[in-house]
Amino acid sequence: MGGGGDVRAGGGKRRGLPLRYLSQSESLSFSRPPQAGCFVRRTDGKEAFPMAELDTDVRAIRGIGEQRAKALAKLGVGTLRELISYFPRDYDDRSASRPIALLEDGETACVEAMVAAPPTLARARRGLELVKLRAVDASGALDVTFFNQTWLKSSLTAGETYIFYGRAERSGNRRRMVNPVVEPAGRGEQTGRIVPVYPLTAGVSQLILSRSVRQGLDACRSILPDPLPDDVRQEHHLCRIGFAYENIHFPASAEALELARRRLAFEELFLFTLGLRRLRSRRDTARTDPFRPVDMERFYQALPFSLTAAQRRCVDEALADMRSGRPMNRLCQGDVGSGKTMVAAACIYFCVKNGRQAALMAPTEILAQQHYEGLSALLEGLGVRCALLTGSLRARARRDVLERLALGQTDLVIGTHALISGGVEYERLGLVVTDEQHRFGVGQRAALAAKGSHPHTLVMSATPIPRTLALILYGDLDVSVIDQLPPGRQKIDTVAVSGGYRPRLYAFLHKQVEEGGQCYIVCPQVSESEDAPDERKAVTEYAETLRREVFPDLRIAFVHGKMKPKEKEAVMSAFAAGETDILVSTTVIEVGVDVPNASVMVVENAERFGLSQLHQLRGRVGRGTRKSYCILVSDSKNDETRQRLRVMTQTGDGFRIAEEDLRLRGPGDFFGLRQHGLPGLRIADLGCDAALLKEAQSAADALLARDPALSTCPATAARVEELFQQKADTLN
């Protein structure tokens, strides 16, 4: 088998490794002695100890000092448990070697060869030193060059055999490798096996992380508690936890890796299901005074349009919840422009007519202001007293709002996080609405709900989510879907172009502005590091280039996530007021104020965004009467990238786009579970593990049916509690 293949733990495409399930009669050994030099040291620097507790500080590992510990902390690794639970994102199959003569140009492979002569050191220029050598096997010779790795001159010995792993280059009969991984033949640390590939950060290399995990496993693998009850593990033919952890990090074979991955994915889905089922069970037992029926015709007749059948269905589902005598906990999910706010307005009207107060929380002040202007104009004519509460309110105005709220003289308050700040009291809070749910964690939603006594909760999301993923993200919620758009909602023409079209693109933007329109240009965030200035630099430099070289006669502004909230609000308000022609931004405008005059959305480097995010960005335009366009700019030659962008040009259906996004990218890139206060999925891949999810859910339901409190499975109960400890409310 040739080198260079890979196998992914996420359950996606696997190349180079034929995977199969073992029969029950087969067995795989995972026991192995610790590698030389691999042990855990005591934090006091004295003698090494062979075992450790799972919560032992990661600095107890040999080779991890203060600086490396800080780097690992950025990866969420601070203890031995977190270290051994930091799973690889990918794998390189380096288990087989190729003869030198059979290496193809561009092939990544392992070569076992002898160093023919002492390596030489040459200085190409200042700051660039080259170590060169020739390695040979029975089939031919390989020229090897290392850049700025001068220590290899004395480390690699003539006459000794080494394994070289890298990308081969072929010119005629000559083969060469540049900067390959190299280690003595037989060591088996970086070659000769399936090698894990971990997500990294500055200061931590693959080798350092792999060696650290090796030590961590040797120290505490035997004391890992197994959260899967034995009967569940056996019934579903799953390996033991020690085998799983060993082979997810250091797979003995492709089969062992698949067994480990399947067990850990099942465990993840099983525990997640248990936690969500217990949340729902506890919610189902909560009781509140049922709302009485209300004649909703007055509300419907006050609307300047008729609700769609989908909107009416969602309203009916929510009102049935509020009449049921148990707290509503419902998600209203709909595409951009589907009319979720009117569903919320109906629920607010119903709540107020039952003598209770309602609160609507939006992620930004400008969006809260927009909601206030729209809803107050509608609801105050129906006798609903509205107020706006944001952080920028002056002290006197804030005191007035708080006083009227506490006395019950305000029926609906709309605001930002200010709604959950100290000092905010409600006389009789009956309904909590959160807009753009993915911008709020579960803790924030719970904090607002805690302002009342079991108030009803309605969360709204404009991000269409595939049903499979919604079962995970919103497993503790009932879900209503608005699956049709109001009549008259215009189609946004979407095209994908290369950077070569930029001159024509700029001419098109200029024409749109001349005709009275406004345009967005979105730049991707270059770095995922919160401390990096790349996001700010990319946006400000691009905006300055446009202002100076491309559109000197137009009004150009920029906005990015590093700006202070008030600065962002000011820029967005100016754009909404028509004081800016072109707004250059990061995805900070993904959720923002409606600008009906905005007619063009340009997304630079569109390949860096998920389809669902591109769909959200596209939804920023087409909100008025102007014909609107979305232009995706990408120079990527990758077939999968082109396929993804082609989907955007073919459909405006957010749910179809979401399904395609999940299929192509997996859930990890789709949506941040941690935003919801729910544990993330590190191994399970909902794109490939749908059958495993059903199996895990069935097992969880069976366990809860016979033991709702999990009293016979203390390790399971403890792990579920630990995973869901981010939630503001407990599972008990």
Side-chain angles (χ1 to χ4, degrees), residues 361-365 367-368 415-417 435-436 439-440 569 591:
M361 185 163 64
T364 65
E365 286 203 9
L367 195 53
T416 56
H417 296 81
D435 189 20
E436 298 299 347
R439 296 295 168 125
F440 296 111
E569 298 280 348
V591 175

Side-chain angles (χ1 to χ4, degrees), residues 381-401:
L382 296 171
V384 178
R385 298 165 295 181
C386 303
L388 178 67
L389 180 61
T390 62
S392 64
L393 273 186
R394 294 187 180 275
R396 184 175 178 178
R398 175 181 170 83
R399 283 196 303 270
D400 182 56
V401 171

Side-chain angles (χ1 to χ4, degrees), residues 75 142 152 206 289 325 354 414 469 476 482 543 556 590:
L75 301 175
L142 179 70
L152 289 174
Q206 293 290 346
D289 292 338
N354 269 274
I414 299 169
L469 192 54
D476 64 329
I482 306 178
I556 297 174
E590 179 186 355

Side-chain angles (χ1 to χ4, degrees), residues 174-223:
R174 296 182 70 90
R175 273 77 167 176
R176 63 190 296 260
M177 281 186 180
V178 176
N179 280 345
V181 172
V182 59
E183 68 177 356
R187 174 174 290 180
E189 188 174 28
Q190 300 183 80
T191 63
R193 61 186 180 89
I194 300 171
V195 176
V197 179
Y198 297 93
L200 299 177
T201 189
V204 181
S205 67
Q206 293 290 346
L207 185 57
I208 289 170
L209 195 48
S210 181
R211 284 176 174 172
S212 299
V213 171
R214 175 73 271 158
Q215 294 180 65
L217 277 176
D218 290 339
C220 58
R221 181 180 59 219
S222 63
I223 60 171

